[in-house]
Amino acid sequence: MRTDPSPTGPAPAPAVRAEPPPAEDLLAAELVRRYGSPLYVYDLGRVEAAAADLRAALPDGSRLYYSLKANPHPELVRTLRLAGCLPEICSTGELASALAAGFEGADCLYGGPGKTAGEVREALAAGVRTFSVESPADLRRVGAQASALGVTARCLLRVNGAGAGAGVGLRMTGGASQFGHDITDTLPDISHLVVEGTELWGLHFFPLTNAADPQGLLAEAVASIRTAAALEAHWGLPLRMLDLGGGFACPYAAPGGRPRYHELREPLTAALDEHLPGWRGRLEPSFESGRYLVGDSGRLICTVTEVKESRGTTFGILDSGINHLGGLSGVGRLPSLRAEPLRITGPDPLPEPEPESGPGLAPEPAPTRRVTLVGPLCTPADVISRATESVPPRPGALLAVPNVGAYGATASLLGFLSRPAPAEVTVRGGRVVGADRLALTREPLPARPRAETEGAHSTDHHRDRAGRTTRS
């Protein structure tokens, strides 16, 4: 309660003025008013900044591929195309996204285990010529389809080497794995890698992912360069492309900033100079990233629909859950959700009550409690944030989950319980670039003529170019 100063007593402490809401929070509240809740907001300026930061950390002349599995949204892919990135894809649906964003098929690097003859044929027909192959059988499958079309596929052999054993990130290779050709101390003979319809173009390494420690990331990259040099010398076959993978980290569903990796550029260049002398002009060092390039561009904005108490626990029930965020965390692909939603301080559906201290003054701090934030799905697994110490949210309040531009909507359980997908809005400089929503559709599936099915694998079924999802 404010009081007038006493003419004889000490002057009261100055009142603390309430801080104005951050501009991005005001924008988020306005986007909810326009497009509804929940929604993803992607800031394309952040995507451009991430691409520039990562390029500055890599050796001169490096190619930088964007891994569309992180987020295939067309505006993000288009922004990265204009920033000089190329598409790394693992499906015909991702190929369609790359083409829709303005890439040519020849720009794409097509990888992943289990590629079927049908998808390889479709990729080749669309102009894709560069493939990462995971096994001798994968190489033969690509070669057979290329030969049938009268073209040559440039193939990178994905390597499952020993690596440096860095204890960072999620390991992709270095042990028994569905990824890559096993390379041990005994180097393989090249004879079984000479396949009609293919040309051995280079090597592909991707030992780990989401490694925040630059020294661990550097150790793995240098180990890969050493292995590549040994294979090149053993085979007597000059490499034209060396894909050293990625592993570049970004926080997920929690506050924090991207690492900058300034320490990588010089030692990576020195390692290439030492182990692959004369690489400039004949060999293209390449790197891949998904989460680093788009992770910090995205926030998920959602609404508190209800707050309830149950046996001493406070639950904030949201209109968004694991159907929109973090579905892959349940299978160990992403860290378990420890999301720390940020409270939107701008306008929301239910206005804040006026603080007792007066208009425009900061209210007294509210008491905190252990609050669990859950989604709307009919499963106890739908937990966004478990028992964190925070001020209980109000029904109608807007919350934001930061750093979810990667592995958000398309990495989640969009089809579960048939709830609509969240809106996805792209912005630049506070202005809306576009707004849309993914929709799962069911289409009639005609039987193929017998001639098309003879000799085809049972998994080579018909699929639409959009990956069985549409944007509206």
Side-chain angles (χ1 to χ4, degrees), residues 106 167 219 223 320 336 344 352 384 449:
S320 183
S336 297
I344 295 289
E352 292 279 2
I384 295 295

Side-chain angles (χ1 to χ4, degrees), residues 78-105:
R78 186 175 295 111
T79 297
L80 287 165
R81 176 177 65 81
L82 296 174
C85 297
L86 295 168
E88 186 268 321
I89 59 176
C90 294
S91 70
T92 52
E94 290 183 351
L95 171 59
S97 294
L99 297 177
F103 285 108
E104 301 291 333

Side-chain angles (χ1 to χ4, degrees), residues 66-86:
Y66 172 56
S67 299
L68 267 72
K69 60 178 167 284
N71 191 333
H73 192 284
E75 285 297 340
L76 273 65
V77 181
R78 186 175 295 111
T79 297
L80 287 165
R81 176 177 65 81
L82 296 174
C85 297
L86 295 168

